[in-house]
Amino acid sequence: MRIVKSFLCVSEHLAPLRWLSKPRNCSNAARASSGEKNKGVSDSFRRQVASGPRFQDFIKSPPVTLAVNCEHTDEHYLSEDLGLLGDARKVYFETYGCQMNVNDTEIAWSILQKKGYQRTADLKQADVVLLVTCSIREKAEQTIWNRLQQLTAMKKKRLKTNSPVKIGILGCMAERLKTELLEREKLVDVLAGPDAYRDLPRLLAAATTGGQQASNVLLSLEETYADIMPVQHASQGRSAFVSIMRGCDNMCSYCIVPFTRGRERSRPVSSILEEVRMLSEQGVKEVTLLGQNVNSYRDTSEVQFCGSERTKLSRGFSTVYRAKQGGLRFSDLLDLVSRIDPDMRIRFTSPHPKDFPDEVLQLIAERQNICKQIHLPAQSGSNQVLKAMRRGYTREAYLDLVDNIKQIIPDVSLSSDFISGFCGETDDDHQQTLSLIREVGFNVGFLFAYSMRKTHAFHRLQDDVAPQVKQRRLEECIGVFREEAERVNAAVVGSTQLVLVEGESKRSAEDLCGRTDGNMKVIFPKEDVAVQASASNTAPIRGGGYVLVKILSAGSQSLRGRALSHSSLISTPTPRCDGYK
Ligand code: 5AD
Ligand code: SF4
């Protein structure tokens, strides 16, 4: 099996793949055409050349039977027939990692669907299995390596039964581990990095017709898939994710994302608005704007919006890169998106604390349909650790920002990310993290033990916290988080919350489940309720509708209540929570 790598040039990879044993011979072939040098060319080589492709083979008109994967390759080298080879072949996706990967799956599927592929939820039916992968921690990668073992065993069995299956690795792991994946996992057919999904039909065609491994892991400075409308699969089609930017320039010292997903770039505002309008027309009731650094959004592509204002950072925050200038900022986008449909909830994730100027906070406070929920990844409560992490802020600056947020948005719900056991973290540093968790009072947390990746920290710092110490500190953080979440959630008992209904509860068919504005899960009995606040006629509650729910009890992870009536965002006065007590 031959490996086709994206960084090799066309001359190495058009036809010679099939007829010369080594790509280097391609340049020998060029030399062989001069009469002088011809003398030294062996007969066997001449025979190889003679049985190779003709000039016509390099021209678009059919039959062109070879697909290559190369940055310099023009689409024209592939006939449309080849691109459509997917016709009716069934693709099975498995998605790992963050919400960005779920969105990437939808983008990849949208591209393949247009080329005539079908989607299947049944692995046994699949002709192509695509894993959308995550590299953020070692555990995520290990899960995928294990899965690959199972899939390649399945692939071998399927070869015997004459129903071959192709396996592709998409996303961050394809980017980070391209060589290992192709060489160690010989049965991987296709690799596509996060910026190469448009190339998938071509890569699959190469793998299918040529039996080659095909990869494209080039990162782009521009790719935002702006023109590709993802095929949404979120909960019953009532919630959707809209990607607004990709990549990250922050270079936090522990994080692999800037290396696997590349530089920060924003999708043009017009294409975001178009997608949100389309979703609104389809009846979607909640849109989450997505990006690795969602609030660093800045679209400089639309000239009419260009100003000269520099990116304003939150007070006490800095970046390792030059602040961007001009264009449309996150607050402008949020304003425009939230005006599209006043009955559609708007959320965003994942932001960086440096990009919360007052304009963004004021907009969240004022606009009825922008959820009063902010994810504010802190990572640590210790200045020494924050500096080693290169987060660009101190504990004090973070806490000042929290105060400012609470002042401007009094009923805000805050969530955060923390890493336990980062390089050099002492017990005292850990205590400071615990105290920060207590001081802020988050209601949701994503807590991780530090996992070394090939980043700045790998090269410059020592992963010197013993695994059992990392684990103990992580568990302590989880314990404090739970206590605090319980306390914060208990404060809403007795209030009435506007809940967007997701559907039946997973635990009981008698119950429904939905989310508050603060993104807390609420469980309540399935029963008919008044069609509006003071009406006497009732109607059943369905997924995708809003209901007012009286909160009766709270745990650290969910709330329980009783539905009072159907409602809508427009008819519910602000504030949407404690004001109803
Ligand atoms: N080890 C552990 N956690 C990490 N994160 C990012 N990189 C690492 C790492 N090397 C966490 C951060 C980030 C979240 C998405 O993942 O908390 O906010
Ligand atoms: Fe990683 Fe930091 Fe960028 Fe978040 S902001 S993706 S943690 S480098």
Side-chain angles (χ1 to χ4, degrees):
M1 190 177 290
R2 184 174 296 280
I3 299 170
V4 185
K5 288 184 182 146
S6 59
F7 41 81
L8 295 173
C9 74
V10 176
S11 61
E12 272 182 316
H13 281 281
L14 277 169
L17 285 172
R18 283 186 310 154
W19 55 276
L20 291 178
S21 56
K22 287 187 187 141
R24 294 187 78 81
N25 288 355
C26 176
S27 52
N28 289 342
R31 266 188 259 126
S33 64
S34 105
E36 249 279 280
K37 285 166 190 155
N38 239 354
K39 283 184 201 145
V41 178
S42 71
D43 282 345
S44 87
F45 182 67
R46 270 199 209 98
R47 274 198 301 279
Q48 277 183 304
V49 172
S51 62
R54 296 154 306 136
F55 176 66
Q56 277 75 7
D57 291 332
F58 293 87
I59 299 176
K60 190 191 173 192
S61 57
V64 176
T65 49
L66 186 74
V68 294
N69 166 33
C70 168
E71 69 179 294
H72 308 295
T73 309
D74 189 307
E75 278 262 359
H76 295 144
Y77 284 107
L78 265 185
S79 71
E80 191 56 14
D81 293 346
L82 239 188
L84 281 176
L85 256 183
D87 202 14
R89 296 202 321 136
K90 295 197 181 78
V91 190
Y92 173 87
F93 282 96
E94 243 173 52
T95 309
Y96 296 83
C98 64
Q99 203 51 57
M100 281 299 278
N101 274 4
V102 177
N103 194 252
D104 278 12
T105 306
E106 290 163 356
I107 290 171
W109 168 230
S110 177
I111 290 166
L112 290 177
Q113 192 181 32
K114 285 207 183 86
K115 290 286 181 191
Y117 283 84
Q118 287 180 2
R119 188 160 179 179
T120 177
D122 180 0
L123 180 60
K124 288 192 219 90
Q125 300 268 315
D127 303 302
V128 178
V129 176
L130 297 177
L131 306 187
V132 185
T133 61
C134 171
S135 274
I136 196 129
R137 281 168 290 276
E138 205 181 331
K139 208 168 147 209
E141 281 184 357
Q142 196 48 53
T143 310
I144 295 159
W145 282 119
N146 296 345
R147 183 63 174 145
L148 260 178
Q149 298 286 311
Q150 295 168 351
L151 290 173
T152 49
M154 176 193 91
K155 182 175 165 169
K156 278 185 194 152
K157 267 195 212 146
R158 292 265 301 257
L159 271 176
K160 286 184 201 144
T161 61
N162 223 6
S163 57
V165 62
K166 297 287 171 196
I167 298 177
I169 303 288
L170 274 47
C172 292
M173 225 170 132
E175 195 63 53
R176 197 179 96 76
L177 297 171
K178 39 207 169 244
T179 318
E180 288 91 323
L181 276 165
L182 289 176
E183 282 166 12
R184 194 170 120 186
E185 288 300 327
K186 295 266 187 268
L187 293 172
V188 168
D189 302 286
V190 163
L191 279 192
D195 290 344
Y197 303 141
R198 284 181 204 274
D199 216 12
L200 262 177
R202 219 157 53 97
L203 297 174
L204 283 168
T208 308
T209 54
Q212 309 145 9
Q213 287 182 308
S215 82
N216 182 348
V217 289
L218 286 174
L219 286 173
S220 155
L221 291 176
E222 289 102 30
E223 182 62 274
T224 58
Y225 300 107
D227 56 321
I228 293 172
M229 292 295 153
V231 187
Q232 302 277 350
H233 282 275
S235 71
Q236 304 189 348
R238 301 302 181 152
S239 303
F241 293 90
V242 173
S243 162
I244 66 162
M245 55 84 67
R246 296 176 77 84
C248 177
D249 286 348
N250 283 331
M251 292 290 184
C252 299
S253 64
Y254 51 82
C255 186
I256 195 78
V257 167
F259 305 97
T260 57
R261 289 198 162 251
R263 299 297 301 269
E264 203 169 288
R265 66 220 102 116
S266 294
R267 175 178 171 189
V269 67
S270 51
S271 97
I272 298 171
L273 297 180
E274 191 193 332
E275 186 174 342
V276 176
R277 264 186 225 111
M278 190 188 78
L279 293 168
S280 159
E281 279 158 20
Q282 289 168 3
V284 167
K285 284 281 172 249
E286 181 182 74
V287 157
T288 304
L289 306 177
L290 279 184
Q292 253 87 40
N293 250 287
V294 74
N295 54 339
S296 307
Y297 178 87
R298 191 169 269 254
D299 173 18
T300 46
S301 67
E302 313 246 335
V303 180
Q304 69 267 34
F305 291 117
C306 276
S308 59
E309 208 179 326
R310 260 177 190 280
T311 300
K312 260 193 241 156
L313 296 182
S314 320
R315 273 184 298 276
F317 288 75
S318 64
T319 61
V320 291
Y321 61 86
R322 256 183 71 123
K324 295 185 190 84
Q325 232 176 330
L328 197 81
R329 298 153 307 163
F330 183 64
S331 55
D332 303 313
L333 177 76
L334 204 52
D335 176 24
L336 291 168
V337 167
S338 62
R339 283 175 195 276
I340 290 177
D341 179 352
D343 209 32
M344 178 193 259
R345 274 183 175 170
I346 311 296
R347 301 185 190 276
F348 56 88
T349 200
S350 180
H352 191 287
K354 73 181 163 55
D355 291 309
F356 276 112
D358 286 358
E359 298 93 277
V360 172
L361 302 175
Q362 265 145 12
L363 190 70
I364 298 172
E366 284 160 18
R367 203 57 58 82
Q368 178 89 349
N369 61 338
I370 306 179
C371 292
K372 274 108 199 94
Q373 172 228 344
I374 294 182
H375 186 60
L376 208 59
Q379 313 298 359
S380 171
S382 146
N383 281 338
Q384 188 267 123
V385 176
L386 287 169
K387 193 163 176 215
M389 288 177 163
R390 306 210 298 185
R391 288 290 289 173
Y393 54 85
T394 57
R395 172 192 176 94
E396 293 73 28
Y398 182 91
L399 289 172
D400 278 353
L401 175 64
V402 169
D403 281 348
N404 195 34
I405 293 175
K406 287 182 175 173
Q407 212 165 8
I408 299 178
I409 317 166
D411 51 349
V412 72
S413 297
L414 294 172
S415 56
S416 195
D417 293 349
F418 285 89
I419 298 177
S420 289
F422 185 60
C423 309
E425 185 191 75
T426 62
D427 253 324
D428 181 52
D429 295 321
H430 169 60
Q431 290 305 323
Q432 291 183 46
T433 297
L434 296 180
S435 94
L436 185 127
I437 297 172
R438 283 199 189 94
E439 199 166 333
V440 177
F442 303 99
N443 63 0
V444 177
F446 301 90
L447 310 175
F448 313 99
Y450 173 56
S451 160
M452 191 172 61
R453 317 271 69 208
K454 277 212 174 144
T455 61
H456 179 89
F458 169 86
H459 295 292
R460 305 275 163 80
L461 305 172
Q462 247 192 314
D463 183 14
D464 53 1
V465 179
Q468 61 277 23
V469 176
K470 277 183 192 167
Q471 202 50 38
R472 175 183 50 79
R473 289 181 188 165
L474 174 65
E475 278 156 24
E476 283 174 17
C477 285
I478 294 172
V480 173
F481 236 101
R482 286 230 171 98
E483 282 167 28
E484 287 306 307
E486 239 167 77
R487 185 179 61 77
V488 173
N489 293 340
V492 298
V493 175
S495 71
T496 300
Q497 301 278 329
L498 183 71
V499 170
L500 179 58
V501 184
E502 285 176 354
E504 220 166 65
S505 156
K506 281 192 195 117
R507 297 235 173 110
S508 157
E510 318 266 278
D511 288 335
L512 292 168
C513 138
R515 299 238 162 215
T516 64
D517 178 281
N519 213 16
M520 277 312 296
K521 190 196 268 184
V522 189
I523 311 288
F524 51 98
K526 193 191 281 177
E527 54 196 350
D528 292 4
V529 290
V531 290
Q532 61 188 60
S534 49
S536 54
N537 50 332
T538 63
I541 303 173
R542 299 194 198 288
Y546 290 105
V547 281
L548 287 170
V549 177
K550 176 102 179 164
I551 304 301
L552 302 173
S553 64
S556 65
Q557 316 224 20
S558 63
L559 309 170
R560 278 200 84 87
R562 183 124 203 215
L564 302 177
S565 69
H566 290 269
S567 189
S568 76
L569 251 178
I570 308 161
S571 62
T572 310
T574 8
R576 291 173 302 289
C577 37
D578 298 334
Y580 288 93
K581 266 195 180 179

